[in-house]
Amino acid sequence: MSLNAVTLTKIKTDITSRVNDVIEYYVKKNKAVSIDTFTKKCNDEIDSLLKKYYAGLLVDNAQKLEIDRHIVQAIDTGFTEYQAEIK
């Protein structure tokens, strides 16, 4: 089954929101963390989100790859924003 553009956009928005939640968590704790720690926490949150809501939908490999690229981009952007916030 192929996902429509609206659903893909929703998944990307949810992923970005989870990354932002991780940023907010660490900033509120005033806790500087490494990219590895940040990435693990983001990946855990995103994996939970995808398993809970979207795992059954992501059967198309091209769409999985698109989501994977977005995850990497969201984490990279999120960590940059996080570093700016804690400075």
Side-chain angles (χ1 to χ4, degrees), residues 6-81:
V6 172
T7 304
L8 282 172
T9 300
K10 170 88 170 101
I11 293 170
K12 288 178 180 182
T13 300
D14 289 348
I15 287 168
T16 301
S17 176
R18 286 294 177 112
V19 171
N20 288 337
D21 289 347
V22 173
I23 293 170
E24 186 177 338
Y25 169 80
Y26 283 118
V27 169
K28 280 186 176 178
K29 293 264 187 187
N30 285 327
K31 206 171 161 180
V33 297
S34 69
I35 184 68
D36 293 339
T37 301
F38 185 84
T39 301
K40 179 173 181 354
K41 180 68 173 169
C42 287
N43 278 332
D44 290 349
E45 290 293 318
I46 292 165
D47 284 348
S48 173
L49 168 76
L50 293 176
K51 285 177 186 166
K52 189 172 181 180
Y53 297 107
Y54 303 115
L57 299 176
L58 291 172
V59 295
D60 181 282
N61 283 334
Q63 290 174 337
K64 283 182 184 177
L65 185 57
E66 184 177 343
I67 293 300
D68 287 346
R69 283 185 186 134
H70 183 75
I71 289 170
V72 171
Q73 180 184 12
I75 291 172
D76 185 49
T77 301
F79 188 71
T80 301
E81 291 173 13

